[in-house]
Amino acid sequence: MKCRIIAGIMLMAFFTLTPLVEAAPQVPENVYQWVQSSARANYYFNKQQICYAVTDMGYTDLNTLIVPVLKVYDDVQIQDVLDKRRWKMLPMDGYNDLIGEADYLRFDLAKNTVTVTELDYLDSTWSALDASYPNQPIEIGTLPEKSQERNFYQSILSYAKQHRDEIIQQTKGTLSPVDTKRLADEKKAALKTDKMKIQKDKQK
């Protein structure tokens, strides 16, 4: 994954930790986009690292979106993770300092699915305590309409739709001739629509 960040380095560089119960983490707005706060966590995605996948031929894959995200836990979520790890008899070393998780998401825009390709639990120094690789596609449309996860995913997709050109520039690939022509045609059509709307407004 060409645009993937290393969680520990990026998070240590850009975050100033403050207790979640007192205030939200101080996150630089030019790097991380806050999406929502739930009863369990604050949700962010990295808008400087969001990008499209790149094919073996070096072309930008506009159907596959790669997004590093961060969830900063509150005390209840921390305890929930600890309890589940104890119940499953998983290693607990360092988990007394658990603070949240960094996920790496892969969206299939054609199928409207998202896959967590990697999940890293983080301590208060923003170092990874553990890593897992779920790699199970989730159909976004099947998630409960009011669920936090569905809202989070849809917010990312909405941002990506509105910032497509910017994300293309951030991707380490080149547009295929077919996609180059298609995007140019879309822009021409949008410009024509805007002109027609302006003319109609003037006639009112």
Side-chain angles (χ1 to χ4, degrees):
M1 185 166 59
K2 294 180 180 293
C3 69
R4 180 181 169 226
I5 59 171
I6 300 174
I9 295 175
M10 290 295 294
L11 294 173
M12 288 176 66
F14 290 114
F15 281 80
T16 300
L17 178 63
T18 55
L20 189 62
V21 294
E22 295 180 3
Q26 296 178 2
V27 181
E29 295 181 357
N30 64 320
V31 178
Y32 290 93
Q33 178 71 45
W34 174 84
V35 174
Q36 63 189 9
S37 294
S38 73
R40 295 295 189 91
N42 281 320
Y43 291 68
Y44 306 87
F45 68 89
N46 189 318
K47 58 186 177 183
Q48 283 193 357
Q49 295 292 329
I50 184 174
C51 64
Y52 294 105
V54 178
T55 69
D56 292 338
M57 297 292 291
Y59 290 130
T60 298
D61 180 0
L62 295 177
N63 282 321
T64 306
L65 189 67
I66 309 298
V67 191
V69 305
L70 173 74
K71 299 175 186 177
V72 181
Y73 296 160
D74 74 347
D75 291 340
V76 175
Q77 181 63 18
I78 289 172
Q79 190 60 51
D80 185 60
V81 172
L82 297 181
D83 290 343
K84 287 180 179 177
R85 290 188 69 84
R86 291 192 184 98
W87 183 76
K88 295 178 181 179
M89 301 182 69
L90 296 173
M92 299 296 295
D93 291 348
Y95 275 82
N96 61 316
D97 196 28
L98 177 67
I99 196 67
E101 69 180 75
D103 298 346
Y104 302 94
L105 307 181
R106 186 181 186 92
F107 290 88
D108 185 322
L109 303 182
K111 296 180 180 179
N112 196 34
T113 63
V114 60
T115 302
V116 180
T117 60
E118 182 174 342
L119 186 159
D120 297 340
Y121 285 118
L122 306 172
D123 65 18
S124 62
T125 68
W126 305 108
S127 299
L129 293 168
D130 193 9
S132 60
Y133 307 90
N135 280 314
Q136 293 294 323
I138 300 168
E139 294 184 16
I140 298 173
T142 65
L143 296 173
E145 289 188 9
K146 296 183 179 180
S147 73
Q148 295 290 335
E149 297 303 312
R150 177 166 177 163
N151 183 67
F152 187 43
Y153 298 146
Q154 289 182 329
S155 295
I156 293 172
L157 293 176
S158 177
Y159 175 92
K161 185 176 181 180
Q162 295 172 19
H163 295 82
R164 184 174 62 182
D165 289 347
E166 179 182 335
I167 296 173
I168 289 172
Q169 292 299 317
Q170 292 176 178
T171 302
K172 307 300 182 182
T174 57
L175 288 173
S176 69
V178 172
D179 284 335
T180 299
K181 183 180 184 304
R182 178 171 63 83
L183 294 180
D185 290 344
E186 288 179 2
K187 289 180 180 179
K188 288 180 181 179
L191 182 61
K192 182 178 180 180
T193 299
D194 289 342
K195 288 182 178 180
M196 292 176 63
K197 184 177 183 302
I198 292 173
Q199 289 177 352
K200 288 182 179 181
D201 290 341
K202 288 182 178 179
Q203 293 173 356
K204 291 181 179 179

